[in-house]
Amino acid sequence: MLRTAILALALAQSSALAAEDGTPHAPRAVLDGKPVSIAILINGYGTNSNRDDAAMRLARPVNEPFEWFEVSSRLVRAHLANPGHLGYSQLTLDIDAGGAVSGCTLGKDSKLPVDEAAICGDIIRQRFIPALDDNGNRIEGTYRVTIMPRRYPADKDQAHAPLLTGERDPAPVPMLAPRVDQLFSFPPSPFWMRAFYADPAWRIVPQVGLPAGVSEADRAYTAIIVSQKGGNPACRVIERSGIAAQDNGACSFATTVLGPVWADASAQNHRGVPLYISRQGEKLTAYAPDPEHEKSTRMADEVEHRFIVSLTEAGIFPEGREASPLRINLTPDSSGRVRHCRIVTSTGSDSADYATCRIARQLASLIPMEDIFGRISPYAALLWKADPTGE
């Protein structure tokens, strides 16, 4: 509340200076004693109207969302008059099969200086490249727009900030590593692994990775974390198997039989290792992370070469591969075959987009990303770009 009050008082000093061509800059104000420029940050992304049937191509605007608003638009006029009234807001746009906006809804907790009718009136005439289904047919889609303030430093020696932008603040958000024992889901995130994981000295070395071809449905696993912060290792069960004897005995088995110890563990340097425990007959078996797991989804060079040749022969790159804006997201199945193809950046042609995904499903095979135990990750997708040097 105090921060809001300070900003509100300072906005009396705000101004919207104009560039030489008459285009206004972001209005300036004083926040916490520091001059800032408050721009309107606008981004958007297509979503599936039908969650059970993922579209091959999501709806995408012809112009970037921050380009939708003229200086005369109601949003811009209201922001220039009262820049402190802009907060985080979200719009949901319904896009028909012809690429027109057929519906517009403002999120209930949105904070805009204008109402739903005004903001929707500003954008209702925007055109979209419509969504496509897996057969290449145009279908209805949905597009979400986020609108929020972006603050720029506004010292007298700094250039004026743009009024409208699609670029987020590049300043990294500081992240504090969690404590080694603050683990609540399995397997641990890459962030946790980088912060705490190190292969310990073992009394008995566990197996590396989960056995291939054995699903969790076929074998019940208990997930545990063994950690050391100085002194003796501690253990906690993260996920239970439902087998009481296995779950209750997992930590004792890990700390006494396996006996992991880290020579460099201390009160300041925490160490840990995630383990799966399962029972085979009367014996407990442990599985440790696989350091050789596939850390990203990739396409083998020879497979990519065949894929590019087929796309070229199909006329997907009329001006050459490097000149194409095409970007696609490929999701593999457990064997590496393409299960789903999604157009991220269109060629500009429905038929070329459809042909691209048809060829990808027919020819492309992937080496899927794995989690730290060697299982194919549910996020094992590959973003493939026609222009390998493009951003």
Side-chain angles (χ1 to χ4, degrees):
M1 293 295 292
L2 178 60
R3 183 180 179 87
T4 302
I6 292 173
L7 177 58
L9 288 172
L11 287 172
Q13 307 171 32
S14 69
S15 61
L17 301 178
E20 293 181 0
D21 62 359
T23 303
H25 298 297
R28 288 187 169 183
V30 177
L31 177 61
D32 295 339
K34 297 180 180 179
V36 294
S37 294
I38 306 176
I40 307 175
L41 173 62
I42 308 174
N43 283 296
Y45 56 93
T47 63
N48 279 302
S49 298
N50 184 351
R51 293 185 179 182
D52 297 327
D53 187 14
M56 185 186 77
R57 185 180 73 193
L58 301 175
R60 184 181 179 89
V62 174
N63 298 311
E64 293 297 327
F66 72 92
E67 299 174 331
W68 293 353
F69 299 90
E70 302 289 342
V71 175
S72 59
S73 66
R74 281 160 284 193
L75 172 64
V76 170
R77 293 203 314 265
H79 177 66
L80 291 174
N82 296 291
H85 291 185
L86 179 63
Y88 179 85
S89 305
Q90 188 173 77
L91 283 164
T92 300
L93 306 180
D94 298 321
I95 312 301
D96 67 22
V101 178
S102 59
C104 175
T105 306
L106 181 63
K108 64 177 182 178
D109 295 323
S110 296
K111 297 178 181 179
L112 283 180
V114 294
D115 60 15
E116 179 178 275
I119 188 69
C120 290
D122 281 342
I123 64 178
I124 196 68
R125 292 182 177 83
Q126 294 301 316
R127 299 295 302 176
F128 283 74
I129 299 171
L132 293 181
D133 65 15
D134 276 346
N135 295 316
N137 300 313
R138 291 188 170 194
I139 57 174
E140 296 176 346
T142 305
Y143 193 79
R144 299 197 190 279
V145 182
T146 57
I147 304 174
M148 66 187 78
R150 178 180 171 184
R151 298 184 176 94
Y152 294 83
D155 295 332
K156 62 180 181 179
D157 296 332
Q158 290 177 312
H160 291 290
L163 175 59
L164 297 152
T165 182
E167 295 183 2
R168 296 181 181 274
D169 189 344
V173 177
M175 296 182 65
L176 297 177
R179 286 178 12 204
V180 66
D181 53 355
Q182 287 183 326
L183 184 66
F184 304 103
S185 62
F186 225 75
S189 69
F191 182 53
W192 187 97
M193 292 293 288
R194 288 192 299 270
F196 303 117
Y197 174 74
D199 198 24
W202 300 95
R203 186 176 296 128
I204 295 179
V205 180
Q207 295 186 30
V208 176
L210 289 172
V214 179
S215 69
E216 291 188 44
D218 297 328
R219 182 177 299 170
Y221 294 103
T222 304
I224 64 173
I225 172 68
V226 182
S227 60
Q228 187 174 351
K229 300 183 286 185
N232 295 322
C235 178
R236 186 164 66 89
V237 175
I238 307 299
E239 293 179 0
R240 295 182 177 274
S241 66
I243 303 172
Q246 176 177 305
D247 294 337
N248 295 336
C251 275
S252 175
F253 171 70
T255 54
T256 60
V257 178
L258 303 179
V261 175
W262 292 265
D264 62 346
S266 67
Q268 292 74 37
N269 188 41
H270 300 175
R271 291 300 189 192
V273 60
L275 297 169
Y276 275 118
I277 308 294
S278 72
R279 180 175 293 276
Q280 299 183 42
E282 297 300 316
K283 182 181 178 181
L284 289 178
T285 301
Y287 304 93
D290 180 3
E292 302 301 323
H293 70 279
E294 292 287 342
K295 297 178 176 60
S296 61
T297 299
R298 56 193 177 90
M299 187 184 297
D301 290 344
E302 62 273 15
V303 174
E304 184 173 28
H305 175 72
R306 291 197 302 270
F307 182 50
I308 293 169
V309 169
S310 295
L311 292 177
T312 302
E313 292 176 346
I316 306 302
F317 308 134
E319 298 179 7
R321 176 188 176 189
E322 289 74 12
S324 173
L326 177 67
R327 293 191 304 161
I328 57 177
N329 191 277
L330 303 175
T331 303
D333 62 17
S334 58
S335 69
R337 301 295 298 178
V338 174
R339 174 172 58 85
H340 181 65
C341 169
R342 180 169 65 84
I343 302 294
V344 177
T345 303
S346 173
T347 61
S349 163
D350 290 1
S351 59
D353 288 350
Y354 171 66
T356 295
C357 281
R358 177 177 53 78
I359 292 169
R361 287 191 290 266
Q362 290 175 346
L363 296 181
S365 60
L366 305 175
I367 301 169
M369 177 175 71
E370 299 170 337
D371 69 18
I372 58 174
F373 290 94
R375 296 173 301 188
I376 294 179
S377 168
Y379 307 105
L382 172 69
L383 178 63
W384 187 87
K385 298 176 288 189
D387 179 4
T389 64
E391 292 296 329

